[in-house]
Amino acid sequence: MNTIGVDWGSSNRRAYWLDAQGCLLAQRQDAAGVLATPPGGQRDFAAELQSLIGDWRAQAPAQVWLSGMVGSRSGWQEAPYLPLPCHLHGLGEAATPLAADPQIRLLPGLCQRPPLGPHDVMRGEETQLLGAWRLRPQNGWVLLPGTHSKWAQVENGRVLTMHSAMTGELFALLRRHSCLSAVAGGDEPPAPIPAHESAFDEGLQWAREGGGLAQLFRLRAQALLTDEPQPPAEVAARLSGLLIGLELQARQIHSASLVAAPGLAHWYTRAAARQGLTLHALDPDQCLVAALQALQTPTETSP
Amino acid sequence: MNTIGVDWGSSNRRAYWLDAQGCLLAQRQDAAGVLATPPGGQRDFAAELQSLIGDWRAQAPAQVWLSGMVGSRSGWQEAPYLPLPCHLHGLGEAATPLAADPQIRLLPGLCQRPPLGPHDVMRGEETQLLGAWRLRPQNGWVLLPGTHSKWAQVENGRVLTMHSAMTGELFALLRRHSCLSAVAGGDEPPAPIPAHESAFDEGLQWAREGGGLAQLFRLRAQALLTDEPQPPAEVAARLSGLLIGLELQARQIHSASLVAAPGLAHWYTRAAARQGLTLHALDPDQCLVAALQALQTPTETSP
């Protein structure tokens, strides 16, 4: 049977269509994320899914996997979190069939509870993690940066621990709503990170100097006190370097897989290189496809 | 001659009236800060000052000192920053007479430029620092917490270095505008810090565990995963403990003077005690009065 996967997040959704042999037939994406307000105001997830993948399903029967915020409390139907430690190949079995259409299944998010580690959750990234493990089955850490960066420690296909860092959200918040807005281009869209490599590197350097959050105000003071004008995009790049530098610094590791689109991958790889951290970049689309292939042909779950 | 001091900040202004012997005759305060929008929309600083202290000036001639954001680029008239290192007793001499009324003088802010240290500025706190030095002439650090916490290293009345931390602003931003809003009572006013001591202590503990900003998301995950309901005020107190803990942790010192109103002084003293940092609390009003007394009878400036 064919397989369709939809990564339905807060802001966007990405759909992938695979044949019975796991070959990618087509993929598409749009901005109808769970937090996007639909034209009418009222949410009809069934109709929205139909408009996204209805034509694919009409052509041949397909098993449909949904991942991401669509399975959260504020989504279509809640799919409970799978507690760590857990095996990535157990995701399919733990999926929740949709009440209205059991051919559609909601993949679980992952959660961490004490004493294993601090409370933490992810939803959507676990599916990319499954694919990342198939593409690069290397014991160690996987980093999935974004609004909320996720770090997962994977060993023999099992997720042992996770950490989340609000790096992307902090960047947007500070650029838009803080005392830095006036100097960092608060009216600009928060993504992508402005292409000012030397300013970004300066931010990384500030992170290394220590003091953590105490370095934030420096962005404003520097812009106030420097005679030459500081383009807001440059200040924003410096802010980004500082925040990404602080995120990487908090994890004392030497190597990790990185699941990120090329733009973000560029900045994280640049930051990591300066901290002695080697990142092995994987493409998020390829991870999703690999995950769907794994869900199609379930591997034996290790104990 | 009598002396009047007005600490005219972003949100509030506080006025103090001293006789020629330096005795406090009266004090008052209101919320007509530099960033407050006046009823008509148009700003008339002269009229606003008149309505605040006109009656005091009518009774006897007085020298008037203005400090705080009123002397910034977005205030009444810009008073240039005094660069560090500088002597606190040089503040009066460096004041800028108001063009419209030279009897009124604007006290300078302080700034720090490389190579002395990272770019930094303060405006308003320098006057409290002068008073703090008069009340407790102890070489070492002075902490003035708030929206932007200021740390100043003072030796023999000279300010050597400073650091700013955006602790109060981050608390308000994260509580109101971030993914934590839903669990931390985003609609509540950001101050004062909710009185949940054990939750505050838990936040301090998280700061000690390391990871810095990576601990922020934990607030959300804990609220999502814990069965018993988490009152938003409790989550906010935890957030406050985490941020204040991170601020104190970034400064590796053992003792400091603290200039803070009783509410904030309570939380900072609590946090400091758990990090082996002893804080000696000074009252901000008393610091302002002491500063005005110093301005009234200038001490010899040390080289």
Side-chain angles (χ1 to χ4, degrees), chain A residues 32-53:
Chain A
V34 171
L35 297 185
T37 314
Q42 260 291 46
R43 202 80 205 218
D44 183 344
F45 286 106
E48 289 178 35
L49 185 68
Q50 177 65 15
S51 81
L52 181 68
I53 58 164

Side-chain angles (χ1 to χ4, degrees), chain A:
Chain A
M1 208 189 321
N2 287 359
T3 297
I4 296 171
V6 180
D7 176 17
W8 199 331
S10 303
S11 317
N12 301 294
R13 49 184 195 172
R14 291 160 205 278
Y16 306 83
W17 186 26
L18 277 64
D19 69 15
Q21 283 69 48
C23 292
L24 183 67
L25 299 174
Q27 73 179 74
R28 49 176 72 136
Q29 67 176 84
D30 65 18
V34 171
L35 297 185
T37 314
Q42 260 291 46
R43 202 80 205 218
D44 183 344
F45 286 106
E48 289 178 35
L49 185 68
Q50 177 65 15
S51 81
L52 181 68
I53 58 164
D55 56 339
W56 293 349
R57 294 185 83 192
Q59 287 181 48
Q63 187 137 67
V64 181
W65 301 94
L66 304 184
S67 60
M69 293 305 285
V70 70
S72 73
R73 224 167 282 175
S74 46
W76 192 349
Q77 179 183 316
E78 190 170 2
Y81 292 108
L82 206 55
L84 296 195
C86 70
H87 203 290
L88 286 167
H89 285 122
L91 286 177
E93 209 173 303
T96 305
L98 192 70
D101 181 348
Q103 202 67 289
I104 300 175
R105 284 186 282 182
L106 296 145
L107 288 161
L110 302 183
C111 71
Q112 175 172 277
R113 284 193 175 85
L116 183 68
H119 285 101
D120 213 329
V121 293
M122 65 167 69
R123 198 179 269 290
E125 292 88 355
E126 72 296 324
T127 310
Q128 293 190 314
L129 269 182
L130 166 60
W133 176 254
R134 296 270 293 196
L135 295 175
R136 188 169 183 268
Q138 193 82 33
N139 288 345
W141 287 89
V142 185
L143 160 59
L144 307 104
T147 304
H148 299 155
S149 282
K150 303 291 175 179
W151 293 75
Q153 193 184 12
V154 186
E155 215 174 276
N156 302 322
R158 279 161 60 91
V159 185
L160 302 184
T161 60
M162 71 167 103
H163 296 278
S164 301
M166 284 171 51
T167 310
E169 181 168 3
L170 274 173
F171 176 69
L173 266 185
L174 288 165
R175 192 174 186 194
R176 274 194 199 151
H177 296 295
S178 79
C179 74
L180 305 179
S181 310
V183 296
D187 298 333
E188 304 289 318
I193 297 166
H196 280 272
E197 308 224 316
S198 62
F200 181 86
D201 289 351
E202 200 181 351
L204 292 176
Q205 173 56 32
W206 292 8
R208 274 197 297 276
E209 287 172 18
L213 288 177
Q215 297 279 18
L216 282 174
F217 188 75
R218 186 173 174 182
L219 287 158
R220 181 172 166 78
Q222 189 187 51
L224 279 178
L225 295 178
T226 311
D227 289 331
E228 64 261 38
Q230 302 247 323
E234 213 176 295
V235 179
R238 208 172 283 125
L239 169 61
S240 175
L242 173 60
L243 293 174
I244 291 177
L246 290 174
E247 179 189 346
L248 296 183
Q249 214 169 263
R251 311 257 75 81
Q252 300 289 331
I253 56 175
H254 300 295
S255 160
S257 298
L258 172 74
V259 181
L264 211 49
H266 167 75
W267 294 111
Y268 271 84
T269 305
R270 188 176 179 91
R274 276 157 184 72
Q275 305 220 2
L277 164 62
T278 308
L279 292 178
H280 303 270
L282 298 170
D283 180 77
D285 283 326
Q286 286 178 20
C287 288
L288 248 309
V289 170
L292 292 169
Q293 290 165 343
L295 289 164
Q296 215 165 14
T297 55
T299 310
E300 284 302 304
T301 307
S302 315

